[in-house]
Amino acid sequence: QVHLVESGGGLVQAGGSLRLSCAASGRTFSTYGMGWFRQAPGKEREFVAAISWSGDNTYYADSVKGRFTMSRDNAKNMAYLQMNSLKPEDTAVYYCAAAEIPTRQAAEYVYWGQGTQVTVSS
């Protein structure tokens, strides 16, 4: 079992920055790949970023490349998403998730947090 809780969401002006955190419980956290997904009202859930268990490899959706950075700290059982140059289209509920390996497919993630709202004003 891995329990995930996101935090750090809020309201920010376009062009600003926000840092999301994902706190994980469970001794097996370090063996999982981690991912961030987002879902806006009326939209499908979409892949944002993923990171390998070691933190050596990261993957990003084209829409966020160069703006978002994912990281993890296994000693603290934490994963992060640093979001810079935010745009109104980034507005969504952001979810962290854990999988056997990091992928871009939501179906491969077996543990999910409850989400944190990010709203970017124009």
Side-chain angles (χ1 to χ4, degrees), residues 25-120:
S25 63
R27 65 175 62 186
T28 62
F29 170 75
S30 64
T31 70
Y32 286 90
M34 298 293 297
W36 285 96
F37 294 79
R38 67 187 183 187
Q39 187 166 22
K43 303 288 186 180
E44 296 294 319
R45 184 184 300 175
E46 65 174 342
F47 169 78
V48 176
I51 192 167
S52 62
W53 71 268
S54 67
D56 290 338
N57 301 109
T58 52
Y59 312 90
Y60 299 96
D62 289 341
S63 59
V64 306
K65 285 181 180 178
R67 300 189 299 120
F68 291 10
T69 302
M70 188 173 182
S71 60
R72 69 189 297 167
D73 186 338
N74 290 340
K76 298 180 179 178
N77 290 344
M78 297 288 292
Y80 307 96
L81 185 68
Q82 178 67 46
M83 304 184 293
N84 298 325
S85 301
L86 283 162
K87 306 173 181 179
E89 51 263 45
D90 294 319
T91 295
V93 176
Y94 283 71
Y95 300 89
C96 68
E100 294 284 333
I101 58 171
T103 79
R104 301 171 186 268
Q105 301 177 246
E108 298 298 323
Y109 290 81
V110 296
Y111 300 106
W112 293 83
Q114 74 274 49
T116 186
Q117 177 71 48
V118 172
T119 302
V120 184

